Amino acid sequence: MYQPAASGAAVGVALDRSTRGRLGLNWDKELDEVARRRVLAQRMGGPEKVARQHENGKLTVRERIERLLDADSFREVGSIAGAARYDGTQLVDFVPANQVAGHGTIDMRPVAIVGDDFTVRGGASDASVYEKLLYPERLAHDLRMPIVRLVDGTGGGGSVRTLESMGFTYVPALPGWHILDGNLTRVPVIGLALGSVAGLGAARVAASHYSLMVRETAQIFAAGPPVVAHAGQQVTKEELGGSQLHARNGTVDDEVESEEVAFARTRRFLSYLPRSVYELPARVACDDDPNRREDSLATIVPHDERKVYTMRPIVEAIVDRASFFEIGRLWGRSVICGLARFNGVACALLASDPYHYGGAWTRASSEKLTRLVDLADTFHLPIVHLVDVPGFQIGVDAERAATIRAGVRAMSAIERSSVPWCTILVRKCFGVAGAANRPAGRLSMRYAWPSGSWGSLPIAGGLEAAYRADLEAAADPPRLRAQIEERLRAVTSPLRSAERFSVEEIIDPRDTRRLICEFVQLAHHALVPGPTAQPFRP
């Protein structure tokens, strides 16, 4: 019988490793060289720079990735990309690229990830391998998975010393930026500022759906203190770009006290969103009774409109317990924004905060509201809106801030949104801002509490303007004013509006959770995956 000759591989089994290599029957030598370079890459910038990173209270990029992702889930891409130095054909030294990139999982869901390595040239983008920096962005875009950017580096220009080593300069360009921008319309994007972040690094943080900074460790600026000093301003890094500034002006959404908290908030933010716009948010199991009634809601709003109350206890009382994830608490404070669940369904939640400008829309709160509405529309989250809005902020400061422009942009975001809305009129609803309590051109569910009060102008301010002549001519102006106010309050009763179907239903505040849970049950079946007509903008 014919017996085939033994293959090289088969022969190799009986030979030792060195003999197989001498006969050219394997690739062990080449694989050993790959392994050696991977070991060199694991050194990052070397022991001294790693120690300095720790002394500054920061983790290394590899430690960050390890703590953010599920255990053993990271798959690195470009592990031996970097700058090599040779003596002839022999490798003398190897410095890895100052980004670590790849993919892994968070709560068993795939994510792309890229992190700056500050121990190599301070994470400067001009010292990176740009194709490697873009790879995880393309990975997220094309394979439809979230991307997390761990930013701890400077901009594309790096140091002017680079000009001398290059021997020329160039017109600034951002090759591949269209991929980063395109991801905002396609997948969840999270940007974490974990150190001093300037230029392109700052832009990468801002170009996200959710961003945060680590207090006292991270700073964000277009250019750092040395460059600013040349313009005549002497400031520290914290004064120029610390979280006490940027978490309050809206550059980032939040500040946290440690990197571990930043990773925890990243994981939680992603838990509310789908993998991409081509999917719907997952519904999770819920052990909180959708019919739960909170007696505190019956008395939380005072009868006296001059007295304020706190809105966050209302939010916590109606959402699934401990499910409210607030975004941007420190800026635009007259509007509360965040994500929450109702009977396991993820939603976006907007609520007025009467403790700040009486709940009036300011420029900052309008911008914050716009971001959340755009986020909800992009990722198919129903929107719940708790309303106590006296209108736009008024006065000289409001006009200087161009409040009406930002407010109209927020109104446009609301009107162009496509996801289902449920509005609860808790108290005030006045003026143009009040009119934007829901999209006007399509169906939405709306309920009013008996504390509701609405109109073109609040009685308190409108009465004096409308009845000025009568009050000036009256023998007893305070008495006449009280009589007029009593008459007006009779006709502005929510019951009068309900009679005309100007408000759909007046409810017991304790039924709010049940009704919203019913709404999201209906809304969940009406959601349609896919890109939205109104793209998200940072």
Side-chain angles (χ1 to χ4, degrees), residues 185-462:
T185 69
R186 194 172 178 95
V187 298
V189 179
I190 299 91
L192 308 184
L194 303 174
S196 294
V197 174
L200 179 59
R204 290 169 59 217
V205 172
S208 61
H209 298 111
Y210 179 63
S211 58
L212 53 77
M213 303 174 66
V214 178
R215 188 183 300 118
E216 297 181 357
T217 299
Q219 298 85 31
I220 293 177
F221 20 66
V227 180
V228 172
H230 186 69
Q233 295 180 338
Q234 300 291 333
V235 289
T236 66
K237 291 192 296 184
E238 273 295 298
E239 290 170 338
L240 182 61
S243 64
Q244 82 286 346
L245 175 68
H246 287 316
R248 290 158 179 81
N249 66 15
T251 296
V252 296
D253 295 303
D254 287 315
E255 66 174 357
V256 295
E257 58 270 24
S258 69
E259 293 190 26
E260 293 292 353
V261 177
F263 303 151
R265 288 189 69 83
T266 297
R267 289 190 289 268
R268 191 172 176 200
F269 175 78
L270 287 173
S271 72
Y272 293 89
L273 301 182
R275 174 171 168 172
S276 76
V277 300
Y278 297 95
E279 300 178 13
L280 297 180
R283 184 169 188 170
V284 302
C286 176
D287 57 6
D288 190 0
D289 184 1
N291 297 315
R292 172 171 54 80
R293 301 175 94 239
E294 295 288 344
D295 289 338
S296 62
L297 297 181
T299 57
I300 196 167
V301 178
H303 273 272
D304 187 346
E305 291 185 356
R306 293 168 296 184
K307 294 182 179 179
V308 296
Y309 62 94
T310 52
M311 180 63 79
R312 285 182 180 81
I314 296 177
V315 172
E316 297 290 352
I318 63 176
V319 304
D320 293 352
R321 293 194 187 281
S323 74
F324 182 53
F325 180 80
E326 187 167 355
I327 298 172
R329 181 168 185 148
L330 298 177
W331 71 287
R333 298 179 70 183
S334 62
V335 172
I336 298 168
C337 291
L339 306 176
R341 290 190 177 87
F342 292 89
N343 201 19
V345 177
C347 297
L349 189 142
L350 302 166
S352 309
D353 189 345
Y355 263 88
H356 296 277
Y357 298 105
W361 285 12
T362 64
R363 181 188 180 101
S365 62
S366 297
E367 292 172 348
K368 184 167 78 169
L369 184 152
T370 299
R371 276 181 58 82
L372 187 70
V373 171
D374 285 351
L375 176 73
D377 205 45
T378 299
F379 294 109
H380 320 302
L381 301 170
I383 295 175
V384 176
H385 190 190
L386 307 182
V387 179
D388 188 350
V389 180
F392 288 120
Q393 180 192 13
I394 60 175
V396 174
D397 289 344
E399 302 303 338
R400 285 175 177 164
T403 298
I404 191 67
R405 171 71 72 182
V408 169
R409 192 174 293 120
M411 294 169 61
S412 179
I414 291 170
E415 194 59 44
R416 296 181 186 185
S417 67
S418 60
V419 293
W421 276 70
C422 182
T423 297
I424 308 295
L425 302 178
V426 175
R427 202 185 213 179
K428 299 182 297 294
C429 185
F430 289 97
V432 177
N437 64 83
R438 63 175 181 175
R442 59 186 174 88
L443 174 74
S444 62
M445 290 191 173
R446 185 169 63 182
Y447 302 100
W449 285 12
S451 50
S453 175
W454 41 74
S456 59
L457 284 172
I459 291 176

Side-chain angles (χ1 to χ4, degrees), residues 59-60 65 139 148 162 181 198 268 285 300 328 384 388 431 512 525 530:
L59 299 172
T60 67
I65 291 173
L139 184 70
V148 180
T162 308
D181 186 65
R268 191 172 176 200
I300 196 167
V384 176
D388 188 350
T512 303
H525 293 283

Side-chain angles (χ1 to χ4, degrees), residues 459-536:
I459 291 176
L463 188 153
E464 280 79 3
Y467 294 91
R468 177 180 300 173
D470 295 340
L471 292 170
E472 290 176 350
D476 188 351
R479 181 182 179 192
L480 178 60
R481 189 192 184 287
Q483 291 172 348
I484 296 172
E485 183 172 347
E486 185 177 356
R487 297 200 309 266
L488 290 174
R489 293 202 178 281
V491 299
T492 58
S493 164
L495 299 176
R496 297 285 185 100
S497 299
E499 291 170 0
R500 302 295 184 91
F501 202 63
S502 181
V503 62
E504 291 81 347
E505 197 71 36
I506 299 175
I507 64 170
D508 184 328
R510 292 167 290 191
D511 291 329
T512 303
R513 172 173 167 78
R514 174 178 62 81
L515 293 169
I516 296 178
C517 286
E518 290 177 1
F519 155 74
V520 297
Q521 176 70 25
L522 297 171
H524 190 67
H525 293 283
L527 299 173
V528 179
T532 57
Q534 182 74 8
F536 184 94

